Amino acid sequence: MKKLLIFLLIFVACSVQGQDRYYYGDHAKFNPNIPTPEDFFGFPIGTALVRYDKVVEYFKLLAQKSDRAAIETIGYSWERREQIKLLITSPTNQPRLEDIRQKHLQLVKPGTKVAYSEQKIVVELAYNVHGGEIAGTDAAVLAAYYLVAVEDPDILRRLNEAVVLIEPSQNPDGRERAVTYINGFHSNPPVADPADIGHGGGWTPHRGNHFWNDLNRDWLALSQVESQNRVAYYHRWYPNVYLDFHEMGSSSSYYFEPSPLSTWNKILPQSNYNVLTAILAKQFSKALNKIGSLYFTKESFTNLSPIYGSTYPDYQGGVGVTLEVGATSGVAIETDAGVRTFARNLKDNFEISIAGLIAATDEKEVFLKEQKSFFESALQQADRLTDKYIIFGSKEDPSLNRLFLKHLLRHHIEVYALSKTTTEGGKTFEVGTAYVVPLKQGQFRILQSIFEENETNAFDKETTFYDISAWSTAHGYGIPFVKTKNPITPGVLIQNVPDVVPFSVDQSLIAYAFEYNDYLAAKALYFLQDKGVIARVASLPFTSKTTQGDHNFFAGTIVIPVAYQTLEETHLYQVIQEAATRTGISIHSINDGFSVRGIDLGSNNIRVLKKPKVGLVSGGNWTTFGEVWSLLSETYAIPVVKLNAQNLDRIDLQSYTSIILTGGQHSADFAQRLAAWVNAGGTLINLGAANSWVNTAVFPAVSNENNAGNRGADRRGNALAEVTPQPAGGRGGDSRLSGIIVKGELDLRSPLTYGLTNKDVYLLRTSFGSIAPNTIDNSVVKSTDVLVNGYADTTILQKVKDNIIVGTISKGRGAVVYFAESPTFRGYWLSTGRLLTNAIFFGVGASPRRF
């Protein structure tokens, strides 16, 4: 330990005395008018972590001081931190950036002639997508200073052929969370013992963004604002080279691609893997050899899906690469391989950053031609498919149409209005509520990924899956769609998502009602309740006289009587109109309490709804926790009370209508109080591994077949086994369930399915978790063995067949709702997410309704 302390003291002293020499070498000369990182931040880089707000300030200063740099704000994180790009090129190129960008866009337009000699290659250096992978942002500071200040003719020559985009942190909120924690426990000399609290993490995870979403897996789904901003900017430049910096286990050396060939998606040109990645790998190895750093390749990570920052560029004609260095979680950490220092990690990342620029400019024309060829070949690949068009749209759900249309446009997919009502595959799509997407377009490969149903993926038992094997988002949205080989005449090109059309509500003296089939119906309902409106839900269908004529209302319709309200009639009408204006929901004015058919408005089958107050308990699966939090607060504007698992014994449960558990083990006292709360009328919602604890500690009598209450759960009783990297490069295609999409069946009699009219639903299965029949009264969702997307052999499909995925049981005046898997997977699985919100509003009445 004494030797370690001496080493760390020497390291800090050397860092203070010769930082430039350590990172940049003995012979580097710099413009003295450009402030060094050490001068600006006030300490040698690598001896502590730089704050993100100061990085933004420093980058703005570099853009002000240097004629090689410009800065752009591409958006703001959820916590309102600037997302920035520093654009570095030669002084000659800087005034021509827009012209350079426009010329570069010719590469992604099939059929356009390109003069490669007039093109500049675009290199993006993207750091720190996972907040706790700290060596990225500090390395970005080193790279930015070097490129704008170094007086090296070779670098200037290369900058004249390139535009370098530097994003110092892809996850500003997560980065700042990590920095605040790690710097908060920093010591001088630094403590390298991995047991030190500073090397751990706080209660909130450092990896994710504000809502704990893994932004590295959000490039296709775009469920988070940071990803939406980043992809919008990506499509402004279409980088040829995208370096994505990460961290891995502390004992590991350095990883760069190529990844294993078994993780390559055959929808992509093989030249991306064989040629472009090889060019970069050659230069990376040269750079790390020069400084004596060890590394490895071809053993891990993936190129299968466009969900990552290192793979989305592959689907855009560029080449993205994963770069991983062993984590320090602070300034220094002891490992089996010796002491790893933060400064050494920064040096490795800096060398790789510059190597990326060198490789790109050495082989500029190769990269440019590959991008041009990529979009040309996309048209040829689409031509080989039998299907030529995709028609999508829901005539019952305009909000879902808008959300999905926005999703496609964010990926620059060409979408047209449907010009003629069409019936295909047993589905009818109507003009005004449906759209047409031609498969033959430059963005074919991303388009196919969004709607993928295994037409182009050639997965087999040799394929290695690092993550899920099914990533199509259309199934997650639950949008009705069909693929057709029949000729379709598209209507007008859709440039923007149509605005919400405010519904004009007539004033009523009897009641108002709206059906629950719109995705934002829950938002309208909560808005009304929050304004003091007493709302009811009909458990049976009925037909009423409205100001627009007779209207058929389905079960799940929200009814708002004018009587029995605390709001006077005019005020009530104003609030109703505001809800319709905000959401576009059609709210009908009923002018007769005596129904034309079915139950009358005074029926006991139209019950009063409580305004939800949701408690979300920490201590379980943090990704699921964040997904639920984001869904309720961002989509439906429902405030979520986040309950600290350590304080549960001191929390009064009576004020909550719903409590959501995502896992974890809690005290016996809390279990006893939770059971009493449910019996008194509360709705307990368990997600994934939470089922185990509930069936063991809260209501143990129902768990006489197995202690987990989840048929097929793993030995930890975890009904949602998190998809994580496996040793030796992932898991083989036939070794276990790898995130597949299968068809499911809904019980449309359950209040949890209010608003849904089709019993078919798509389920993303990431585990064999299933609700044991003896633990519930009613099965709401069952999984089938019909594979829609992803890889699974017949043995695996048999294991997921007839699994109960969602079930309910009544307890006293309350209910327990079980979800075997996360219903809101990564924030984009909207279809089953509806079941969760229905459980919150209607869970107490979770027994099947009568017809």
Side-chain angles (χ1 to χ4, degrees):
M1 192 67 188
K2 183 177 180 181
K3 289 181 179 180
L4 174 62
L5 179 60
I6 293 172
F7 166 80
L8 293 174
L9 287 170
I10 293 172
F11 159 70
V12 172
C14 289
S15 297
V16 172
Q17 294 174 7
Q19 187 188 42
D20 286 352
R21 186 166 63 250
Y22 177 74
Y23 290 121
Y24 304 132
D26 294 328
H27 306 295
K29 305 291 185 183
F30 295 93
N31 182 342
N33 296 320
I34 308 295
T36 69
E38 183 175 344
D39 288 340
F40 179 83
F41 290 96
F43 59 86
I45 301 300
T47 60
L49 278 63
V50 297
R51 284 173 23 202
Y52 181 74
D53 63 317
K54 297 298 290 183
V55 173
V56 173
E57 187 180 337
Y58 183 58
F59 275 31
K60 289 180 178 179
L61 183 62
L62 293 180
Q64 176 186 337
K65 295 285 188 180
S66 173
D67 57 2
R68 302 180 201 172
I71 195 165
E72 291 189 15
T73 298
I74 68 170
Y76 291 86
S77 70
W78 197 91
E79 295 175 15
R80 299 301 296 169
R81 292 185 174 90
E82 283 185 82
Q83 293 178 262
I84 61 169
K85 302 273 188 181
L86 191 68
L87 290 75
I88 303 174
T89 188
S90 69
T92 304
N93 289 340
Q94 272 295 338
R96 299 178 49 248
L97 274 176
E98 180 57 21
D99 179 60
I100 291 171
R101 186 182 74 83
Q102 291 293 342
K103 280 188 170 65
H104 189 74
L105 293 180
Q106 294 173 354
L107 296 171
V108 307
K109 297 176 181 177
T112 305
K113 291 184 178 180
V114 173
Y116 294 107
S117 61
E118 299 177 6
Q119 291 278 338
K120 306 299 179 184
I121 193 164
V122 182
V123 178
E124 177 140 11
L125 309 178
Y127 305 88
N128 194 209
V129 71
H130 294 138
E133 297 180 359
I134 56 176
T137 300
D138 301 69
V141 169
L142 296 172
Y145 170 70
Y146 181 81
L147 290 175
V148 303
V150 72
E151 295 178 341
D152 182 343
D154 182 62
I155 293 297
L156 282 172
R157 177 183 64 82
R158 295 180 186 280
L159 289 179
N160 198 51
E161 295 300 319
V163 176
V164 180
L165 311 177
I166 298 182
E167 186 171 6
S169 176
Q170 301 176 72
N171 181 5
D173 296 346
R175 164 73 187 187
E176 201 59 23
R177 188 185 310 127
V179 169
T180 300
Y181 181 88
I182 294 171
N183 278 348
F185 290 100
H186 181 52
S187 304
N188 194 10
V191 178
D193 189 329
D196 184 79
I197 191 173
H199 292 298
W203 174 72
T204 57
H206 296 163
R207 184 179 180 88
N209 71 340
H210 176 82
F211 287 111
W212 305 358
N213 181 279
D214 187 337
L215 295 181
N216 190 44
R217 288 162 169 79
D218 193 43
W219 278 72
L220 184 64
L222 300 182
S223 71
Q224 304 298 302
V225 65
E226 295 88 351
S227 307
Q228 294 162 13
N229 295 336
R230 180 171 304 108
V231 167
Y233 195 83
Y234 187 97
H235 284 280
R236 285 182 55 79
W237 278 100
Y238 291 92
N240 301 98
V241 173
Y242 192 95
L243 306 190
D244 193 24
F245 291 85
H246 293 263
E247 292 184 3
M248 53 186 168
S250 297
S251 296
S252 300
S253 57
Y254 201 99
Y255 177 85
F256 56 81
E257 296 191 29
S259 298
L261 187 57
S262 61
T263 70
W264 187 256
N265 194 324
K266 297 176 179 63
I267 195 176
L268 298 172
Q270 191 77 21
S271 54
N272 185 299
Y273 186 90
N274 292 337
V275 179
L276 303 188
T277 302
I279 291 172
L280 292 171
K282 181 179 179 181
Q283 197 62 47
F284 293 158
S285 63
K286 183 178 179 180
L288 294 184
N289 286 342
K290 179 182 68 175
I291 60 174
S293 289
L294 300 180
Y295 51 86
F296 66 100
T297 66
K298 301 180 289 292
E299 294 182 33
S300 189
F301 307 108
T302 180
N303 285 286
L304 279 174
S305 71
I307 67 175
Y308 302 104
S310 62
T311 51
Y312 191 84
D314 297 340
Y315 285 74
Q316 299 296 333
V319 56
V321 291
T322 299
L323 302 159
E324 301 260 357
V325 67
T328 59
S329 302
V331 172
I333 193 167
E334 298 173 22
T335 75
D336 294 339
V339 176
R340 175 180 290 279
T341 67
F342 186 44
R344 182 66 186 200
N345 281 2
L346 300 186
K347 184 175 178 64
D348 287 350
N349 277 346
F350 166 74
E351 291 290 346
I352 291 293
S353 300
I354 305 306
L357 171 63
I358 293 171
T361 49
D362 279 351
E363 302 288 350
K364 184 182 85 166
E365 192 163 315
V366 175
F367 285 97
L368 296 177
K369 286 183 175 179
E370 181 67 22
Q371 189 164 52
K372 180 64 173 156
S373 172
F374 177 90
F375 286 96
E376 302 283 359
S377 67
L379 304 186
Q380 300 165 10
Q381 198 165 3
D383 260 342
R384 291 194 288 269
L385 292 182
T386 302
D387 293 322
K388 303 302 178 186
Y389 295 93
I390 298 172
I391 308 172
F392 75 88
S394 169
K395 57 186 176 182
E396 297 92 5
D397 194 341
S399 293
L400 185 63
N401 284 344
R402 286 193 297 271
L403 287 169
F404 190 68
L405 182 59
K406 183 182 294 185
H407 176 60
L408 295 181
L409 295 182
R410 280 172 171 154
H411 289 291
H412 284 225
I413 303 295
E414 291 178 16
V415 184
Y416 298 83
L418 183 67
S419 61
K420 180 181 178 181
T421 297
T422 304
T423 299
E424 286 277 351
K427 302 175 184 177
T428 298
F429 298 91
E430 297 183 356
V431 174
T433 61
Y435 302 88
V436 177
V437 184
L439 283 163
K440 189 174 181 179
Q441 57 175 290
Q443 288 291 348
F444 162 72
R445 294 180 175 100
I446 282 291
L447 170 63
Q448 190 67 5
S449 298
I450 289 172
F451 288 95
E452 179 64 65
E453 292 185 322
N454 287 1
E455 301 98 332
T456 53
N457 287 333
F459 298 157
D460 52 40
K461 67 179 181 180
E462 302 302 323
T463 304
T464 302
F465 298 106
Y466 178 75
D467 195 82
I468 56 177
S469 67
W471 47 82
S472 64
T473 52
H475 301 96
Y477 275 74
I479 192 83
F481 73 91
V482 67
K483 300 177 182 180
T484 179
K485 60 184 178 182
N486 296 325
I488 300 290
T489 301
V492 298
L493 178 67
I494 303 297
Q495 304 279 6
N496 298 293
V497 178
D499 293 331
V500 173
V501 179
F503 186 82
S504 181
V505 184
D506 297 326
Q507 189 166 1
S508 173
L509 298 177
I510 304 295
Y512 303 93
F514 63 92
E515 290 168 299
Y516 211 69
N517 47 21
D518 191 281
Y519 184 71
L520 294 182
K523 183 175 184 177
L525 174 56
Y526 187 83
F527 173 82
L528 292 169
Q529 291 179 311
D530 197 44
K531 294 294 185 181
V533 175
I534 298 173
R536 306 182 183 205
V537 62
S539 60
L540 293 174
F542 61 97
T543 302
S544 281
K545 296 177 182 178
T546 76
T547 56
Q548 303 297 317
D550 291 357
H551 189 88
N552 299 320
F553 292 98
F554 296 103
T557 292
I558 304 302
V559 178
I560 302 160
V562 174
Y564 316 114
Q565 300 287 344
T566 57
L567 281 66
E568 57 89 18
E569 292 178 8
T570 301
H571 188 195
L572 174 65
Y573 171 66
Q574 292 171 345
V575 172
I576 294 285
Q577 181 62 68
E578 186 177 356
T581 300
R582 283 171 173 260
T583 61
I585 301 275
S586 300
I587 302 181
H588 301 273
S589 299
I590 299 176
N591 54 23
D592 191 340
F594 187 76
S595 294
V596 177
R597 283 183 298 276
I599 58 176
D600 296 320
L601 294 190
S603 168
N604 288 335
N605 286 297
I606 303 180
R607 62 184 176 91
V608 175
L609 293 172
K610 290 183 179 179
K611 174 186 170 184
K613 183 176 181 182
V614 181
L616 178 61
V617 178
S618 73
N621 184 299
W622 62 265
T623 56
T624 304
F625 183 101
E627 291 160 10
V628 173
W629 174 21
S630 177
L631 174 73
L632 296 181
S633 64
E634 291 299 284
T635 301
Y636 296 115
I638 300 173
V640 180
V641 183
K642 296 166 286 299
L643 303 176
N644 191 330
Q646 298 178 351
N647 298 329
L648 292 176
D649 290 343
R650 299 193 296 271
I651 293 173
D652 181 7
L653 304 181
Q654 301 311 309
S655 64
Y656 300 99
T657 60
S658 299
I659 291 177
I660 303 175
L661 304 176
T662 64
Q665 299 293 315
H666 309 290
S667 71
D669 177 70
F670 176 64
Q672 185 176 8
R673 292 192 303 118
L674 195 59
W677 170 83
V678 171
N679 281 308
T683 300
L684 176 62
I685 303 171
N686 314 312
L687 308 181
N691 297 323
S692 305
W693 180 76
V694 169
N695 287 341
T696 302
V698 183
F699 296 111
V702 301
S703 186
N704 53 19
E705 289 187 1
N706 56 70
N707 68 343
N710 296 294
R711 180 165 49 86
D714 64 23
R715 292 182 181 179
R716 296 167 296 173
N718 188 346
L720 178 58
E722 188 174 3
V723 180
T724 54
Q726 301 297 306
R731 53 183 177 273
D734 62 347
S735 62
R736 58 168 288 185
L737 191 152
S738 299
I740 61 173
I741 298 173
V742 298
K743 278 190 176 181
E745 294 181 356
L746 297 174
D747 180 353
L748 294 177
R749 298 172 300 168
S750 170
L752 267 64
T753 64
Y754 281 159
L756 302 173
T757 58
N758 190 332
K759 69 178 181 62
D760 295 328
V761 68
Y762 296 110
L763 305 173
L764 185 68
R765 301 302 312 274
T766 60
S767 79
F768 296 116
S770 177
I771 310 301
N774 68 301
T775 65
I776 57 174
D777 291 335
N778 310 295
S779 169
V780 180
V781 183
K782 278 191 176 182
S783 171
T784 73
D785 60 350
V786 178
L787 181 66
V788 176
N789 189 209
Y791 178 83
D793 64 19
T794 54
T795 303
I796 288 176
L797 292 175
Q798 281 300 310
K799 288 182 179 180
V800 302
K801 183 180 180 181
D802 294 330
N803 287 178
I804 300 175
I805 306 304
V806 183
T808 64
I809 187 170
S810 297
K811 286 289 178 181
R813 290 186 289 138
V816 182
V817 182
Y818 295 90
F819 288 85
E821 305 213 42
S822 170
T824 56
F825 183 78
R826 291 181 181 167
Y828 70 91
W829 216 260
L830 278 57
S831 56
T832 49
R834 286 186 172 195
L835 305 181
L836 175 65
T837 53
N838 282 3
I840 290 169
F841 282 101
F842 315 123
V844 171
S847 298
R849 57 184 183 268
R850 300 186 304 276
F851 285 94

